[in-house]
């Protein structure tokens, strides 16, 4: 151990490359299900295989890594399973775009099998970049257990679940209204739709009565769907239409005769109280259509262009072109009554970023209510805890109002639905393999369903499918259920709720005990980070500039529980400066000739062996161990990192290290008490390095080795998590609360003297003479115990105890004592008096000017109350400043 072996400045890139390779090569990340240790399991929220590392991933995975390293040091068998999601729509879209760009081909030109070969090839070449990038931030994932949602084992789990739920009657194929993405040409679940507020219009159209007796005015935001209208509905209690219910109308542009019917769904206060009913293109209209047995004509092709059912004038037009033409024709017929501006929420495809089309379609669905009820109970009864707890309300609302889940997707990349249709009679067979013949008619030819399953249908099985379910094996038995899930609140329905349902349904146990929801990362202006705003930095660039530890530490530091994060790259200076601070603390220790010994504990030491500062740092370190442990147990990452930062920087380095300087830099041989101080220093240093390791794994392992706390073949990763001393040990060491209070007051006295120096413009490095007058006998005895530390921290060439000396003195006061600093020879009295008189004159003039303003009744009456109060506060502030100036003038006048 030698200061010369430690670089003057911390160079993250060198340290990170060395230690991550060592950790992985030595198998520190791999979990052993036969170890006999209590398991602690996390499954990574699998990022899209197409993804690149973002700050959101950095936050999420840093917090997971903190938990994994924390629990590993606490002696648990930690297992953190990484992996990626095949991301059906996103991946297929990337490969289709590449095919179009490079070969001017579509997937249909290639055919299904050839296209899937292209996707797998693309996945092997480009996929999984994000997983490789996660290594750069130090994630301790069990890479030997890395999974992909289309792996054979996970595919077997998906197939097993589909077949099981189908035979239970919980999966069915139905003709229902669904969300359709015209860009990707596939169905979407409700959770895959987001809403944008848009400025649109309400068109008021006249629908004539068939008998020529007049017309009904209906308001619509979607004129292009009117050719699919099969009724007009009114509220049965609306007096305007009570005598018209049951009559018929002639649908303009089409000539179809449609009924005027009554339904409670209609809001009689919206528009004219009469609404057009288009069952195939609106979810609410669909329900009305079912209740009244209406026809449901579908007007659109898969790409949302109009089909033949829309009529010859509209067939082939884009839906928005059709809208324009409908309005033109209705205007020409004199059937457009008026147009109003209208702001409304428009559903958009999350993946395609185009307006979705509600569409009647035959799709596969999961009955969710029977699965949701036990999942809701699991959260309500506390078997699963949410952090922050406020997300329980959101979860509960969604689960109590859950709708069936549309799980089929009109894609090729994904888990193909294990359903086979008889080519002769159409009978559906759901099985692991194609049956040899139809079970109903015996026909030998069957065709598999062309659709694939929603990506989330594999993801909801993730906590147990990654361990080989449905096969029983030691991994599954040992590591399921998992303990903690760290994820974003935006997928609470997509993923969290569904995993709870699947875990209870197929494993009989909740999949995890705690769910921590991360914050949204915004820029310094409060804007959500996005590529379009060019405000989302590349985390790899940040790591290259500041280091992985700096990024990890900073992102935890600025991420309070349940609040959005304001991020800028410059904030990583927090983490980088902190890494340099502890680096320099170790460099300071290595200057001391004393070898590291007995740093693991303080057994054998008593209060008589220690300085008060030693006892204080022991007590404070003990408190911090308790605070950090508790904070991590309750997922208060931000609280933990701030406690560590303040303790290491402001207490260990700024106070304790400074108090040790005289001992550690002395050329004389260290005496017994000095060696005891070295032992305390090393013990506290090793403790906070271990506390800090989950947050800053690289620099802590490097410094742990540099200090000689472990051999080169070992790691801080394998070290024990610090455990707080019991009260008996603290009493034996004299490190009790009263000692902490006295030492804190001593530091307050030193601070007061430093402020005094600043007031009199005396350099912080210039030695001064200090006379200390203790406030009590207890204070005197305490200060006398270690005068050398006090003198060193005061930077005093002379320290004595007594009353105020004659002559001009600066005075510093604390609860513990009053310190007097003779000023003779330290400053130029005449110059100082001149400066003070000038300040006095300026303060008096300012106070008088504000008093004149407040004496003006007109000002007080007209100015806002907060402005008047601010002026009064300024008088109080400058009056107090004037009092201090005059006290100093009095001191120098008497000199």
């Amino acid at each position: 151990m030698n200061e010369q072996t430690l670089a003057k400045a911390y160079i993250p890139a060198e340290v990170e490359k060395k230690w991550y390779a060592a950790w992985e090569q030595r198998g520190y990340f791999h979990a052993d299900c036969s170890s006999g240790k209590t398991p602690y399991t996390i499954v990574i929220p699998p990022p899209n295989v197409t993804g690149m590392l973002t700050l959101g991933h950095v936050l999420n995975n840093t917090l997971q890594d903190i938990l994994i390293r924390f629990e590993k040091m606490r002696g648990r068998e930690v297992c953190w399973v990484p992996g990626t999601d095949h991301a059906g729509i996103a991946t297929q879209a990337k490969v289709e775009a590449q095919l179009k760009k490079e070969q001017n081909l579509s997937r249909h030109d290639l055919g299904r099998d050839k296209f899937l070969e292209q996707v797998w090839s693309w996945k092997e070449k480009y996929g999984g970049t994000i997983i490789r990038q996660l290594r750069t931030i130090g994630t301790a994932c069990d890479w030997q257990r890395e999974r992909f949602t289309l792996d054979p084992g996970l595919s077997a789990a998906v197939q097993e679940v589909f077949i099981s739920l189908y035979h239970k009657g919980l999966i069915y194929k139905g003709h229902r209204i669904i969300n359709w993405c015209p860009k990707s040409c596939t169905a979407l679940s409700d959770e895959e739709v987001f809403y944008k507020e848009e400025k649109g219009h309400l068109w008021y159209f006249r629908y004539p009565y068939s008998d020529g007796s007049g017309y009904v005015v209906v308001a619509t935001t979607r004129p292009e769907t009117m050719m699919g209208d099969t009724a007009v509905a009114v509220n049965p209690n609306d007096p305007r239409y009570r005598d018209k219910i049951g009559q018929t109308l002639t649908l303009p542009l089409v000539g179809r005769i449609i009924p005027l019917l009554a339904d409670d769904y209609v809001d009689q206060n919206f528009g004219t109280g009469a609404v057009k009913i288009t069952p195939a293109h609106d979810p609410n209209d669909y329900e009305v259509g079912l209740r009244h047995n209406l026809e449901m004509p579908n007007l659109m092709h898969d790409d949302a262009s109009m089909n033949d059912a829309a009529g010859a004038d509209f067939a082939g037009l884009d839906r928005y072109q059709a809208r324009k033409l409908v309005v033109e024709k209705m205007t020409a017929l004199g059937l457009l009554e008026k147009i109003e501006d209208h702001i409304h929420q428009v559903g958009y495809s999350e993946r395609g970023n185009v307006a979705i089309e509600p569409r009647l379609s035959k799709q596969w669905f999961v009955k969710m209510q029977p699965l949701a009820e036990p999942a809701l109970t699991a959260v309500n009864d506390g078997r699963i805890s949410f952090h922050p707890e406020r997300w329980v309300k959101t979860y509960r609302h969604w689960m109590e109002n859950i709708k069936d889940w549309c799980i089929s997707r009109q894609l090729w990349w994904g888990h193909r639905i294990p359903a086979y249709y008889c080519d002769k009679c159409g009978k559906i067979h759901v099985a692991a393999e194609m049956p040899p013949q139809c079970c109903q008619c015996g026909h030998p030819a069957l065709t598999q369903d062309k659709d694939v399953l929603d990506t989330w249908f594999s993801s909801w099985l993730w906590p147990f499918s990654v361990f080989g379910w449905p096969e029983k094996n030691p991994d599954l038995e040992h590591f399921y259920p998992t303990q903690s899930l760290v994820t974003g609140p935006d997928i609470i329905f997509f993923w969290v709720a569904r995993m709870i349902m699947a875990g209870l349904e197929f494993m009989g146990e909740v999949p995890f005990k705690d769910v921590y929801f991360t914050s949204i990362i915004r820029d310094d202006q409060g804007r959500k980070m996005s590529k379009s705003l060019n405000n989302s930095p590349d985390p790899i660039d940040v790591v290259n500039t500041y280091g992985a530890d700096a990024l990890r530490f900073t992102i935890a530091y600025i991420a309070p529980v349940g609040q959005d994060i304001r991020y800028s790259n410059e904030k990583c200076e927090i983490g980088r400066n902190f890494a340099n601070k502890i680096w320099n603390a170790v460099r300071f220790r290595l200057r001391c000739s004393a070898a590291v010994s007995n740093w693991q504990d303080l057994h054998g030491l008593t209060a008589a062996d220690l300085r008060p500062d030693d006892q204080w740092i022991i007590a404070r370190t003990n408190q911090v161990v308790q605070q950090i442990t508790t904070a991590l147990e309750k997922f208060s990452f931000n609280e933990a990192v701030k406690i560590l930062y303040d303790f290491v920087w402001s207490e260990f380095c700024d106070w304790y290290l400074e108090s040790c300087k005289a001992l550690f830099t002395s050329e004389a041989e260290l005496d017994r008490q000095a060696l005891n101080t070295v032992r305390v220093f090393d013990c506290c240093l090793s403790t906070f390095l271990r506390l800090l390791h989950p947050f800053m794994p690289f620099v802590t392992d490097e410094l742990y080795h540099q200090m000689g706390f472990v051999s080169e073949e070992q790691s801080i990763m394998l070290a024990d998590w610090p455990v707080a001393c019991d009260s008996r040990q603290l009493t034996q060491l004299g490190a009790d609360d009263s000692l902490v209070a006295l030492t804190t007051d001593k530091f307050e006295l030193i601070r007061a003297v430093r402020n005094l120096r600043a007031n009199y413009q005396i350099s912080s490095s210039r030695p001064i003479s200090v006379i200390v007058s203790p406030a009590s006998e207890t204070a005197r005895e305490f200060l006398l115990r270690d005068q050398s530390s006090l003198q060193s921290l005061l930077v005093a060439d002379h320290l004595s105890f007594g009353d105020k000396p004659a002559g001009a003195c600066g005075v510093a006061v604390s609860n513990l004592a009053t310190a007097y600093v003779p000023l003779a020879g330290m400053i130029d009295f005449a110059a100082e008096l001149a400066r003070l008189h000038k300040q006095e004159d300026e303060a008096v003039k300012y106070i008088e000017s504000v008093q004149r303003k407040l004496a003006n009744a007109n000002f007080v009456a007209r100015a806002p109350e907060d402005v008047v109060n601010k002026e009064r506060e300024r008088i109080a502030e400058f009056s107090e400043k004037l009092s201090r100036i005059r006290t100093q003038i009095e001191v120098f006048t008497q000199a």
Side-chain angles (χ1 to χ4, degrees), residues 33 464 466-479:
C33 64
F464 51 89
V466 295
F467 295 117
W469 186 91
E471 301 298 326
K472 291 185 177 180
N473 62 76
D475 266 16
L476 182 64
E477 184 178 342
H478 195 65
F479 293 120

Side-chain angles (χ1 to χ4, degrees), residues 200-205 207 217-226 229 270-271 274-276 278 285 323 326-327 338-340 342 344:
H201 297 93
L202 268 176
W203 286 270
Y204 288 78
F205 291 151
Y207 281 20
V217 177
V218 298
T220 181
T221 59
R222 304 191 66 212
E224 68 275 15
T225 64
M226 68 171 286
D229 292 354
F270 178 77
V275 296
K276 59 192 280 303
T278 320
D285 292 3
R323 175 181 296 180
V326 165
V327 174
K338 63 177 178 177
I339 303 174
E340 289 181 350
H342 180 62
H344 60 148

Side-chain angles (χ1 to χ4, degrees), residues 395-672:
Y395 174 85
R396 187 179 294 136
H397 176 77
W398 188 74
M399 297 294 269
E400 289 173 348
N401 298 277
I402 198 165
K403 296 179 181 178
D404 287 356
W405 174 17
C406 177
I407 56 171
S408 46
R409 298 291 179 270
Q410 288 63 53
L411 304 171
W412 289 352
W413 174 246
H415 297 98
R416 195 165 177 182
I417 293 173
Y420 304 87
Y421 304 91
C422 175
D423 290 354
K424 183 177 181 182
C425 70
K427 169 71 175 176
I428 299 176
H429 302 71
V430 171
E433 296 179 351
M434 183 181 290
Q437 62 182 33
C438 175
C439 67
Q440 183 166 279
C441 71
H443 190 69
L446 291 91
T447 302
Q448 186 173 359
D449 196 307
K450 294 179 180 179
D451 292 349
V452 300
L453 290 163
D454 178 10
T455 293
W456 297 99
F457 196 87
S458 53
S459 300
W460 75 323
L461 314 178
W462 190 248
F464 51 89
S465 65
V466 295
F467 295 117
W469 186 91
E471 301 298 326
K472 291 185 177 180
N473 62 76
D475 266 16
L476 182 64
E477 184 178 342
H478 195 65
F479 293 120
Y480 186 92
T482 70
Q483 275 62 50
S484 305
L485 177 72
V486 179
T487 189
D490 53 325
I491 55 174
I492 188 171
F493 312 130
F494 278 121
W495 196 45
V496 178
R498 290 172 181 164
M499 281 192 291
I500 296 172
M501 296 182 214
L504 290 167
E505 174 70 16
F506 298 104
M507 296 297 296
E509 289 184 86
V510 295
F512 29 71
K513 304 295 192 299
D514 293 283
V515 183
Y516 179 87
F517 293 106
T518 57
S519 308
I520 294 173
I521 302 182
R522 300 185 182 276
D523 65 15
D524 257 357
Q525 298 177 45
R527 301 175 302 176
K528 192 172 181 178
M529 290 191 166
S530 68
K531 289 181 180 177
S532 61
L533 291 174
N534 196 30
N535 65 347
S536 184
D538 182 345
I540 302 301
D541 292 340
V542 179
V543 169
N544 291 338
T545 303
Y546 295 94
D549 282 334
L551 177 57
R552 289 169 58 112
F553 187 88
T554 299
I555 210 149
Y557 188 92
I558 63 175
V561 177
Q563 297 179 36
D564 289 353
I565 299 168
R566 295 290 185 96
Y567 175 87
S568 66
N569 283 348
E570 292 72 26
K571 287 183 178 177
C572 288
E573 294 285 354
I574 297 169
R576 180 162 66 181
N577 292 343
F578 188 63
N580 285 328
K581 188 77 171 179
I582 60 174
W583 186 268
N584 288 329
V586 171
R587 274 179 56 79
F588 165 78
R589 168 61 182 91
L590 297 182
R591 295 176 201 161
C592 178
S593 60
V596 173
S597 62
N598 298 322
W599 57 269
Q600 295 94 335
D601 57 58
L602 300 172
H603 289 314
L605 292 178
T606 65
D609 300 319
L610 303 171
R611 303 176 306 148
D613 289 355
D614 299 330
Q615 295 167 316
W616 169 77
I617 199 63
I618 290 168
R620 284 294 299 124
T621 302
N622 198 64
Q623 291 171 351
V624 168
V625 168
Q626 294 172 315
Q627 291 170 335
I628 300 302
T629 303
T630 300
L632 289 180
E633 286 175 341
K634 63 179 186 178
F635 304 94
S636 296
F637 305 100
N638 166 259
E639 178 187 346
V641 85
K642 287 195 169 182
I643 290 170
L644 267 172
Y645 181 89
D646 291 341
F647 170 72
V648 174
W649 193 297
S650 302
E651 297 185 70
F652 186 87
C653 291
D654 284 1
W655 288 118
Y656 184 66
L657 185 149
E658 290 296 322
S659 82
C660 295
K661 274 188 175 177
L663 289 173
F664 283 24
T665 57
S666 172
E667 294 184 4
E669 187 175 344
L670 299 181
D671 60 20
R672 179 171 170 272

